Amino acid sequence: MALRSALAVRIVEGRDLPAKDITGSSDPYCIVKIDNEPIIRTATVWKTLSPFWGEEYEVHLQPTFHSVSIYVMDEDALSRDDVIGKVCITRAMLAEHPKGYSGWVSLSEVDPDEEVQGEIHLCVELLEGEGGRRLRCTVLEARDLAKKDRNGASDPFVRVRYNGKTQESTVVKKSCYPRWNESFEFELPEPAGEKLCVEVWDWDLVSKNDFLGKVVFSVQGLRVAGRQEGWFRLQPHSSKPREDGRRGSLGSLQLQLRLRDETVLPSHCYQPLVQLLCQEVKSGRQDGRVHLVTLLDETTMAECRQEVAVNLVKLFLGQGLVKEFLDLLFELELAKPCEPNTLFRSNSLASKSMESFLKVTGMQYLHAVLGPIITRVFEEKKYVELDPSKVEIKDVGCSGLHRVQTESEVMEQGRQHLQSYLGELLDTISKSAPTCPPVIRAAFRQLFQRVGERFPEHQHAKFVAVTSFLCLRFFSPAIMTPKLFHLRDAHADARTSRTLLLLAKAIQMVGNMEPAAGRAKEAWLAPLQPALQQGASQMKAFITRLVGTEEEEEDGGEGRLRSPPAAVVKEGLLFVHKTRGKGPLLSCAAKKLHFCLTGEALSFAKSPGAERIGSIALANIRAAEKVEEKSFGSCHVMQVVYVDENGQQETAYLQCKCVNELNQWLSALRKVCGNNPQLLCAYHPGVFRGDKWTCCHQKDRTGLGCDRTRHGVTLQDWSDPLDPDAEAQRLFQHLHGLQQPLREKYWELVKMEDPQNSPQVCGEGSAPVPPGLSQLFEVLQDLEGCHRLLSPSPPTSPALLELQT
């Protein structure tokens, strides 16, 4: 059983941002932090005060996280990036919106005294003596303090105040994980009405000390407890007056956030639900029977349909029934009144499931097909425009012989560029049938056959059905927004974005198999007509090859997504930092190596495709964590803690190029090593130099780490390993809330087909339901009982925590 939290964050756009550049504009981007830890960096949108990002992420978190903050920054090539403002949303605020929050939020000014983080370890006790009662506060240590100095650390000390008296600890230089082990005693007056305040400060020699956070709690509760010890989360200055005058003047962000807390039970608890759903799929569509999948489609709200579709696709992939599931959806959809030219154009469960299926199983195929042409468009930056109302006339010619191009020349030149891009892309697609994953080919083959049987007089309909998914819902969105499909690290500029839009529009028209229909809406596309007609012929031939052969390969035949053990999870060039040690990486002369993470090991070579130099078995990895900035002068360094062949613990320090790549590597490593039985619970975020750790100054190289590991903090990706228990739990939560709507929708559909069997005849209050639906309700009831029985009780807070005010 596991407690899990997942936060879905969508940063849509910003508006009315202040100008930070001398040009009267800004180059804004966003940094998403979870409890002050950077997790995501959006792309920079250049020269605008109203940026559009449209970026969506899902982060799997520790259930104990407290807040998410989104900082809007202005990128500066010459100096440090400017902070425009931030939005801070606490866990409690997210809990008030169980269905998610969506709307505009004003940016707040960043106050240094509120930028606190970390925890402090305290022991507070009452002492009895001849001189009266005394209060002793022992300050043991702190962890993950804010970095206030330029060296990427702080010089923390503690100030303890009680009953008008103040005492201070020693200063620990250059550490965000200080250890004091100092005690402070105060006389305890009667009655003990004062509050004990423990403040952490960063000592500065020249300027004033920086505030790092504080803990305030009542002493009266200690009369019963006597002695309490625990970790406290540092808090900002709550009494400091807030200046809300600038709120709104810094602009605002349109955000969509949703927190999902879930308790995943042991696998056996979900077996009845999984078996019931599999049986429903295997039974197929039957005349005169309302299918459970039809009821699910009709009762699922539009905003939830995408998520439910993903859960169902992943569940049936794990069960080896994804082909049967999709085929059932196709059959049910085609049984409805429909026109051949508008098949699967709505956002039904069938459309969303097929779209999700392509993303889960076909992202590598998508990258292989679109990657080269997307790279070419970005690198060439050609001006492409066919719409006369948007054409920009420009100067051409050599120096001294400039002349202005005519509108027709600009459009003809743009047509040639676009036709070149389209031709290259269609050639790549035409040759890609053998490399398309077998499970995708099998699904398209079923769709092709079903539509052909449903509309025998419209032979083009079966081709359009395939392209409605492959072109309109898969290729075109990736061409328009390549960053969202991980084809590029940044959004396109305005010129490149327009070229990608026209190329995506061209692929859509090719996919429609009737280019003339698109030309009727936008007459300026007429010059592209010959290329579109040729493209439609190429696409038709490609689909014929894609669905034409029945392959009995193991993966495709069973409809199960089985990645081979050596399937690449992530790969790329990383810089290796040398430290004292004897691991395979440390003996390598090269500083930059190509790393490849598979289901078996993390291997490395001098370059892509070169012979492997060495590897670390996944079973030997104990942790994958971030490294303090001060250790190597970079905040994008990760450490992989592992055990070598001799059983000795070693650490490899690897530098990434940006915060996104860092978190992607950490996420991938944590996912593939998540079931290792000997994962560490603590680690050192620094390095061992000389005779001590740079983070906490411990001298024992093998001593317990000074910070907690974060194995559960990962970024969701379409290539994530299947997790059947998590998918079953999410489907249970969805179905549990649909019991009454399912019942009502069943009788509504029955009444439409046979009014004599409507609830008015059988009785509204006691209308029976078919065995399949009745069995589902019983399974859901049993699962609800398992949750009540196995779910842990809410954790009891330490007595010291209860004293905090």
Side-chain angles (χ1 to χ4, degrees):
M1 182 173 61
L3 299 175
R4 304 182 183 182
S5 295
L7 178 65
V9 180
R10 184 165 189 259
I11 304 175
V12 184
E13 60 182 323
R15 66 184 180 192
D16 301 330
L17 301 183
K20 290 290 185 178
D21 301 338
I22 58 175
T23 59
S25 186
S26 292
D27 303 318
Y29 66 91
C30 294
I31 292 285
V32 180
K33 295 184 179 181
I34 307 294
D35 289 341
N36 292 93
E37 187 72 25
I39 300 293
I40 299 160
R41 183 198 192 277
T42 70
T44 301
V45 183
W46 304 101
K47 295 179 175 60
T48 180
L49 302 180
S50 299
F52 177 83
W53 290 286
E55 298 188 22
E56 186 172 0
Y57 305 89
E58 182 166 322
V59 188
H60 296 270
L61 304 164
Q62 306 281 15
T64 54
F65 92 97
H66 294 83
S67 65
V68 54
S69 299
I70 301 174
Y71 291 74
V72 181
M73 312 289 292
D74 171 57
E75 184 168 335
D76 197 320
L78 300 179
S79 60
R80 296 183 64 178
D81 295 348
D82 297 319
V83 181
I84 295 177
K86 76 168 186 177
V87 171
C88 183
I89 300 175
T90 64
R91 183 188 177 95
M93 295 166 63
L94 291 169
E96 293 175 0
H97 300 85
K99 294 185 178 181
Y101 172 81
S102 178
W104 289 91
V105 185
S106 296
L107 294 175
S108 300
E109 191 171 10
V110 175
D111 185 345
D113 284 347
E114 291 188 357
E115 298 299 296
V116 302
Q117 65 184 72
E119 299 172 306
I120 188 169
H121 189 185
L122 301 174
C123 177
V124 183
E125 54 189 331
L126 296 179
L127 304 176
E128 299 286 352
E130 296 181 357
R133 305 181 72 185
R134 299 181 64 81
L135 172 66
R136 175 186 291 171
C137 176
T138 302
V139 181
L140 300 169
E141 58 188 321
R143 61 189 177 197
D144 196 25
L145 298 180
K147 306 168 185 63
K148 295 293 184 178
D149 298 338
R150 291 185 177 181
N151 59 16
S154 291
D155 303 319
F157 70 94
V158 174
R159 181 177 294 159
V160 185
R161 294 188 286 109
Y162 179 70
N163 198 28
K165 297 184 179 180
T166 301
Q167 300 184 52
E168 293 183 355
S169 72
T170 55
V171 177
V172 180
K173 294 292 187 70
K174 299 179 181 179
S175 176
C176 293
Y177 298 84
R179 296 192 172 189
W180 292 285
N181 290 320
E182 298 182 28
S183 297
F184 306 93
E185 294 189 6
F186 300 89
E187 293 183 358
L188 193 66
E190 294 291 345
E194 287 289 328
K195 295 178 181 178
L196 179 68
C197 180
V198 181
E199 298 175 343
V200 186
W201 293 82
D202 168 51
W203 178 82
D204 283 319
L205 177 63
V206 179
S207 59
K208 69 174 185 177
N209 298 332
D210 298 312
F211 179 70
L212 295 178
K214 69 176 182 178
V215 174
V216 180
F217 52 88
S218 171
V219 177
Q220 292 180 340
L222 282 173
R223 293 182 179 276
V224 177
R227 179 183 184 277
Q228 288 296 323
E229 180 180 341
W231 283 93
F232 266 94
R233 180 170 177 80
L234 293 171
Q235 304 291 335
H237 273 312
S238 57
S239 59
K240 184 175 180 179
R242 297 185 58 88
E243 297 181 3
D244 291 336
R246 294 201 64 188
R247 181 179 292 275
S249 64
L250 299 176
S252 56
L253 285 181
Q254 186 183 7
L255 303 173
Q256 295 174 2
L257 300 103
R258 183 188 176 193
L259 176 64
R260 184 180 66 231
D261 290 320
E262 56 192 16
T263 301
V264 180
L265 302 175
S267 297
H268 67 86
C269 297
Y270 298 108
Q271 284 308 303
L273 176 61
V274 174
Q275 291 172 1
L276 174 62
L277 294 174
C278 290
Q279 184 58 43
E280 286 290 314
V281 168
K282 291 176 182 178
S283 65
R285 174 179 173 269
Q286 300 174 12
D287 291 334
R289 172 175 173 255
V290 179
H291 203 283
L292 178 59
V293 173
T294 300
L295 294 174
L296 183 58
D297 187 11
E298 294 284 346
T299 55
T300 300
M301 302 294 290
E303 59 267 21
C304 304
R305 201 164 285 148
Q306 180 74 59
E307 183 179 350
V308 173
V310 172
N311 299 149
L312 287 168
V313 165
K314 288 187 174 181
L315 180 72
F316 289 118
L317 273 169
Q319 297 298 316
L321 290 172
V322 71
K323 284 199 309 179
E324 290 80 359
F325 171 62
L326 293 172
D327 189 42
L328 173 62
L329 290 173
F330 299 152
E331 192 176 6
L332 293 171
E333 188 80 2
L334 291 169
K336 302 175 184 177
C338 55
E339 294 293 331
N341 292 329
T342 58
L343 281 177
F344 305 108
R345 299 300 175 92
S346 66
N347 289 324
S348 64
L349 186 61
S351 298
K352 289 295 184 181
S353 295
M354 189 62 182
E355 180 182 336
S356 302
F357 166 73
L358 289 174
K359 291 178 180 177
V360 171
T361 60
M363 290 301 281
Q364 288 186 347
Y365 170 68
L366 179 81
H367 280 230
V369 172
L370 298 186
I373 191 63
I374 295 294
T375 300
R376 179 187 166 192
V377 171
F378 268 78
E379 290 179 350
E380 291 184 353
K381 295 185 180 299
K382 299 288 187 181
Y383 181 72
V384 177
E385 186 54 76
L386 303 182
D387 186 351
S389 65
K390 297 181 180 180
V391 169
E392 297 177 4
I393 306 300
K394 56 183 180 179
D395 293 341
V396 295
C398 59
S399 178
L401 297 173
H402 288 280
R403 70 176 182 83
V404 178
Q405 276 188 316
T406 64
E407 182 180 286
S408 60
E409 288 177 330
V410 173
M411 292 173 60
E412 174 59 22
Q413 192 177 64
R415 183 197 63 79
Q416 292 176 4
H417 293 321
L418 184 58
Q419 189 167 322
S420 174
Y421 295 143
L422 179 62
E424 179 182 334
L425 178 55
L426 288 172
D427 287 342
T428 304
I429 293 174
S430 298
K431 298 173 184 177
S432 70
T435 61
C436 183
V439 68
I440 293 181
R441 299 185 69 175
F444 278 135
R445 186 179 304 116
Q446 291 176 154
L447 175 62
F448 191 80
Q449 293 171 353
R450 288 286 184 190
V451 176
E453 294 168 359
R454 175 67 172 82
F455 298 102
E457 69 281 6
H458 297 91
Q459 285 302 306
H460 78 285
K462 54 188 179 183
F463 292 95
V464 175
V466 174
T467 58
S468 66
F469 290 114
L470 192 62
C471 294
L472 274 66
R473 293 179 180 264
F474 199 39
F475 287 158
S476 287
I479 294 171
M480 284 191 290
T481 53
K483 183 183 187 301
L484 302 187
F485 287 77
H486 305 297
L487 287 161
R488 301 293 296 184
D489 292 331
H491 287 302
D493 57 28
R495 171 177 290 191
T496 304
S497 181
R498 179 62 179 172
T499 302
L500 293 173
L501 176 62
L502 291 173
L503 181 59
K505 187 183 291 291
I507 285 294
Q508 288 179 1
M509 295 176 67
V510 168
N512 288 333
M513 297 291 175
E514 293 182 356
R519 189 184 64 179
K521 296 181 180 179
E522 296 168 325
W524 45 269
L525 287 170
L528 205 62
Q529 188 68 15
L532 295 176
Q533 289 178 339
Q534 181 181 352
S537 300
Q538 286 182 269
M539 185 65 67
K540 192 171 184 178
F542 163 71
I543 293 171
T544 302
R545 291 192 297 273
L546 188 71
V547 304
T549 56
E550 189 74 31
E551 296 164 339
E552 298 296 341
E553 300 172 7
E554 182 179 357
D555 289 348
E558 296 185 10
R560 185 190 300 267
L561 183 65
R562 292 180 179 172
S563 298
V568 175
V569 177
K570 186 168 180 60
E571 60 181 334
L573 290 170
L574 298 174
F575 185 90
V576 181
H577 286 281
K578 301 298 181 68
T579 58
R580 188 173 68 182
K582 301 179 181 179
L585 278 167
L586 303 178
S587 60
C588 180
K591 290 187 177 181
K592 183 172 283 190
L593 298 174
H594 181 267
F595 285 81
C596 182
L597 177 64
T598 68
E600 295 177 344
L602 175 66
S603 59
F604 43 94
K606 289 185 176 180
S607 61
E611 184 179 356
R612 188 175 69 175
I613 298 174
S615 64
I616 302 172
L618 294 188
N620 294 335
I621 294 179
R622 299 292 180 259
E625 300 292 338
K626 294 182 180 180
V627 179
E628 278 190 308
E629 179 181 358
K630 69 172 185 177
S631 300
F632 299 104
S634 171
C635 56
H636 304 144
V637 180
M638 66 175 176
Q639 57 177 298
V640 180
V641 184
Y642 63 98
V643 176
D644 64 14
E645 297 176 352
N646 300 320
Q648 297 295 317
Q649 184 170 298
E650 299 288 348
T651 304
Y653 297 97
L654 310 174
Q655 182 170 329
C656 305
K657 62 183 179 182
C658 63
V659 65
N660 285 349
E661 185 182 55
L662 171 64
N663 285 301
Q664 287 165 7
W665 270 105
L666 288 173
S667 182
L669 284 163
R670 289 166 179 171
K671 288 171 186 174
V672 296
C673 300
N675 294 324
N676 286 3
Q678 296 181 322
L679 292 175
L680 298 177
C681 61
Y683 79 107
H684 287 286
V687 294
F688 196 84
R689 285 205 180 105
D691 62 345
K692 63 182 179 181
W693 288 97
T694 59
C695 45
C696 59
H697 301 172
Q698 281 191 69
K699 295 184 179 296
D700 183 3
R701 190 172 186 271
T702 61
L704 184 67
C706 56
D707 198 5
R708 295 170 295 180
T709 51
R710 297 166 174 83
H711 303 299
V713 180
T714 60
L715 295 172
Q716 186 190 47
D717 190 81
W718 288 107
S719 61
D720 285 350
L722 299 178
D723 190 346
D725 295 341
E727 307 304 336
Q729 168 61 27
R730 290 161 194 163
L731 287 171
F732 159 70
Q733 287 181 313
H734 181 70
L735 291 168
H736 185 266
L738 285 181
Q739 294 184 68
Q740 187 58 30
L742 285 170
R743 192 187 307 270
E744 294 173 355
K745 179 56 67 174
Y746 170 76
W747 282 111
E748 179 184 328
L749 295 177
V750 167
K751 182 179 180 181
M752 291 173 60
E753 295 184 3
D754 186 2
Q756 296 302 318
N757 290 326
S758 67
Q760 283 77 6
V761 176
C762 300
E764 287 281 358
S766 59
V769 293
L773 198 55
S774 176
Q775 186 180 354
L776 173 65
F777 294 157
E778 292 176 4
V779 168
L780 296 177
Q781 186 175 1
D782 292 342
L783 253 177
E784 186 179 9
C786 289
H787 272 279
R788 286 196 300 266
L789 183 65
L790 298 177
S791 293
S793 303
T796 56
S797 301
L800 184 60
L801 188 61
E802 294 175 355
L803 301 179
Q804 187 174 2
T805 59

